[in-house]
Amino acid sequence: QVRLVESGGGMVRPGGSLKLSCSASGFIFNDYAMTWYRQAPGRERELVAAISVRSQTDYVDFAKGRFTISRDNAKNMVYLQMNNLRPDDTAVYYCAKVSGPYYYTTRQMDAWGEGTQVTVSP
C-alpha cells in the first residue's frame, strides 16, 4: 500500500537548480520522518537530507548550504530544492520513509520510491 513517487529530475548545467518532489500515499504521512537519498553509478546509496514530522531538518556535508528539504503534510509531499549543482551531484535521487529512530542509514528506511535521475553536465 505504501507508495512513494519522485519527480522533477532532469539534466541541468553546473551551477543550475532543480526541485525534486515526492508524492506519498498508503500511510499516515504526518507520523513519519522522510529522507532523500541518492545513488551514483559505482557508489553506495547515501543520505542527502532528512526531515522530521515537524519539519526539523538535517543535511549531509555536501548538501549544506545548497540543498533544502521541506514537506507539506497537508499534501503528503516532500521536496528537495537543489541549488548550485555540481557534476558530482549526478545520481538517482530517492525519497524514503523512515521506519525507526535513525535516518542516516538505509536500514532504517522501510519504503522507497523508484527514483528520479539528476544529471549535472556542461
Side-chain angles (χ1 to χ4, degrees):
Q1 286 288 311
V2 175
R3 194 158 96 108
L4 303 173
V5 181
E6 302 96 340
S7 62
M11 183 175 291
V12 66
R13 295 185 178 93
S17 298
L18 284 172
K19 186 175 183 178
L20 307 183
S21 299
C22 176
S23 177
S25 60
F27 63 100
I28 303 173
F29 182 77
N30 296 2
D31 286 349
Y32 292 90
M34 299 291 291
T35 59
W36 286 96
Y37 277 75
R38 72 184 189 185
Q39 188 165 24
R43 297 180 62 88
E44 65 182 9
R45 194 166 296 187
E46 63 181 348
L47 179 69
V48 177
I51 187 165
S52 75
V53 170
R54 297 184 180 182
S55 294
Q56 294 175 305
T57 59
D58 195 22
Y59 303 89
V60 297
D61 285 345
F62 66 75
K64 290 178 180 176
R66 298 193 300 133
F67 295 0
T68 302
I69 188 171
S70 61
R71 68 190 295 161
D72 186 337
N73 287 342
K75 297 181 178 179
N76 287 13
M77 297 287 291
V78 60
Y79 307 97
L80 184 68
Q81 176 68 49
M82 303 186 293
N83 299 324
N84 194 25
L85 285 161
R86 306 189 295 242
D88 62 359
D89 293 319
T90 296
V92 177
Y93 284 71
Y94 302 89
C95 64
K97 173 176 173 286
V98 181
S99 65
Y102 308 111
Y103 56 81
Y104 49 79
T105 171
T106 59
R107 296 176 182 177
Q108 290 287 299
M109 308 299 114
D110 68 354
W112 298 88
E114 292 188 355
T116 186
Q117 176 71 48
V118 172
T119 301
V120 184
S121 175

